[in-house]
Amino acid sequence: MNESGFTSYSQDATYGEIHSQAESCAETVARAGDRLRSVTDLLPFEQYSDIILTGCGSSYNLANCASFAWDGLLGMTTRAAPSSELLFHPESYLNGSKPLVVAISRTGATTEVQLAVERLRSEHSARALAITGMPGSPVGEACDAELAFTECPEDSVVMTQAFTCMLVGLYLIADGASKGSYADELAQIPSLIAAALPASEPVMRHLGEQDDIDAFFFLGSSLMKGLADECALKVTEMALQPALSHRSLEFRHGPKAALNEHSQVIIFPTSAERPHLATLLAEIKETRASTLLVGDAPGLGHRRSEFLSMDERLSEIFRPALYAHLGQLLGYWRARSKGLNPDSPRHLARTVLLEA
Ligand code: F1P
C-alpha cells in the first residue's frame, strides 16, 4: 500500500499503468473542481448548437462512452465522432452554427484530431476544448482551452489508465457544469475500481491464457458500445489478435454465425436489454462458444465461471469507467501468453502524421 491507500505494482509499464488507475483516478476526482473553473470561458454548455466529442482509437471510444453520460447529465444531445469523420465530413455531424468540439488525445499529437479541430474552428466557428495527457500539446494549441490529465502518464504505446481517468474527468466536467448531482457517486469510482480489479484480474488472466480460444467477441449497446469497442481494441493492439465488437442484440443477426467452440464472447449488457439476454445467451450456447457476462443479471442463473459480478451501486451510465480495466487486463494477459511485450506491440507507431 502506498500513502494514498492504493496498492502499487511494478512489472512492465503497461501492467503498472493498468494497476495504477484507481489511484490516478482518485487524483482526477480531486482535480475536478479546478479543472472546471479553468474552462469557465467555454461555459455554459447550453449556448452551443452542438456538442461533439472526438478522438481517434481509444480516445474515440472514450468519447463514445462519455457522450452518453454528457447527454444525460447536460440534457443536451451530445455526439461522438471519430476525428477523421469530423475532419472530412463535418456537415454530417453539425446541426447548428455554434458547435463545441471536445478533442480528446492522450498524446495530444494525433493529426486527425488536430486537423478536425482546426477545420471546425475555421469553417464552422466552433469553440474547442482539448482533453490531453500533457499540457502544451499540438491538439491543445489548436483549441481554445486544454485540460491536461497529467495524473495518468503512460510510457506504453497502448492507452490504459488514461482511458479511465479521462473518461471519469469528462463525467465530472459535465456533472460539475450541470447540477452536480452525481459528485458523490463519481467520487466513489476510484475505490470501486480498486475493489474490482483484484477480483477481475484472475478471470481475465484465465481467459487471456486459454490457447484454445481463437476469437474474442465483445458485445455492448448504446452506452456500452464504446466500451466493447475499446476492449476489442485492447486485445487487437496488445495481443496482435483481431477481436470484434458488436451491439448485443445485433450480434444475433449475422455475426453470431462466426462462433464455434473456440470463441469467447464477453457481454456488457445494459439494463434495458436484460429481458432479452436469455435468448441471446441460449443462441450463443448453441454454437458451443463460451460466454462471460459482466455485471448484475439477476434471474439468469448462470454458473459462476460465466458471470463476472461487478459493483452495481454505480449508475449504469458511469459503468464503462469501472469496466474499462477488463479489456486492458485481457489484452495484457493475452499478449503475455503469446510471448509479446504489451508495452510495445509491433506494428504500432505512436504518431504517424497525416499530410496537413
Ligand atoms: C490515439 C490512438 C490510440 C491507440 C493507438 C494509436 O492516440 O489511436 O488510442 O491506442 O496506439 O493512437 P491519442 O490521440 O489518444 O494519443
Side-chain angles (χ1 to χ4, degrees):
M1 286 273 209
N2 61 22
E3 58 192 19
S4 4
F6 292 100
T7 306
S8 306
Y9 291 82
S10 60
Q11 196 159 341
D12 41 53
T14 306
Y15 193 80
E17 288 159 9
I18 293 170
H19 279 270
S20 299
Q21 64 191 281
E23 183 176 8
S24 311
C25 190
E27 185 65 27
T28 301
V29 171
R31 292 195 196 178
D34 285 345
R35 284 202 166 116
L36 189 63
R37 280 187 285 281
S38 74
V39 297
T40 44
D41 282 357
L42 291 172
L43 302 177
F45 289 128
E46 290 75 18
Q47 70 186 288
Y48 299 108
S49 55
D50 305 86
I51 299 181
I52 302 174
L53 308 183
T54 193
C56 296
S58 295
S59 291
Y60 165 64
N61 294 336
L62 89 87
N64 201 5
C65 295
S67 68
F68 286 89
W70 277 45
D71 218 274
L73 292 168
L74 300 176
M76 294 175 65
T77 303
T78 305
R79 297 185 72 180
S83 298
S84 52
E85 287 269 328
L86 204 52
L87 170 59
F88 298 117
H89 308 285
E91 61 293 339
S92 304
Y93 293 89
L94 298 175
N95 292 314
S97 56
K98 196 175 180 191
L100 174 73
V101 183
V102 179
I104 306 163
S105 173
R106 175 187 63 163
T107 58
T110 298
T111 44
E112 288 95 323
V113 186
Q114 181 186 342
L115 294 174
V117 167
E118 287 171 355
R119 179 159 185 199
L120 264 78
R121 289 190 76 193
S122 67
E123 296 179 21
H124 299 276
S125 310
R127 303 207 70 201
L129 170 63
I131 303 292
T132 67
M134 58 195 72
S137 68
V139 171
E141 296 290 318
C143 292
D144 295 286
E146 178 177 25
L147 293 177
F149 284 66
T150 52
E151 67 270 32
C152 44
E154 296 194 338
D155 288 328
S156 52
V157 173
V158 176
M159 188 192 306
T160 56
Q161 63 167 341
F163 181 96
T164 306
C165 290
M166 293 197 288
L167 180 54
V168 171
L170 285 166
Y171 296 155
L172 288 159
I173 290 166
D175 184 56
S178 50
K179 296 186 192 124
S181 333
Y182 292 92
D184 290 344
E185 186 175 343
L186 290 168
Q188 298 303 313
I189 293 179
S191 51
L192 293 176
I193 295 171
L197 214 148
S200 40
E201 178 151 29
V203 178
M204 304 323 282
R205 179 174 181 169
H206 175 72
L207 289 184
E209 291 177 343
Q210 296 295 302
D211 48 14
D212 60 333
I213 298 177
D214 61 18
F216 289 94
F217 295 84
F218 296 90
L219 308 189
S221 314
S222 172
L223 62 118
M224 295 294 180
K225 181 64 167 86
L227 174 73
D229 289 349
E230 176 63 6
C231 291
L233 185 61
K234 291 305 90 164
V235 172
T236 305
E237 279 193 307
M238 273 195 253
L240 309 181
Q241 170 165 8
L244 295 166
S245 159
H246 294 277
R247 288 182 173 79
S248 304
L249 295 178
E250 270 296 293
F251 188 62
R252 303 175 61 216
H253 303 284
K256 73 170 184 186
L259 295 179
N260 59 40
E261 68 272 31
H262 301 296
S263 311
Q264 176 67 50
V265 184
I266 298 175
I267 312 178
F268 301 102
T270 62
S271 54
E273 62 200 2
R274 279 180 189 174
H276 307 288
L277 270 183
T279 307
L280 175 64
L281 291 168
E283 289 179 4
I284 294 171
K285 199 171 173 190
E286 267 174 34
T287 70
R288 296 193 291 148
S290 303
T291 310
L292 177 73
L293 198 66
V294 178
D296 186 21
L300 283 172
H302 268 268
R303 294 201 312 273
R304 198 173 164 70
S305 60
E306 296 173 328
F307 184 73
L308 184 57
S309 181
M310 300 287 268
D311 199 310
E312 302 291 306
R313 281 175 299 172
L314 192 63
S315 296
E316 183 167 69
I317 201 87
F318 304 132
R319 283 186 208 155
L322 173 60
Y323 296 168
H325 68 274
L326 299 173
Q328 299 165 7
L329 287 168
L330 181 58
Y332 176 84
W333 285 109
R334 191 68 175 172
R336 289 285 301 268
S337 83
K338 290 175 77 178
L340 298 167
N341 174 5
D343 287 356
S344 181
R346 86 197 131 93
H347 305 317
L348 288 181
R350 197 180 269 274
T351 41
V352 177
L353 299 182
L354 283 186
E355 281 181 37

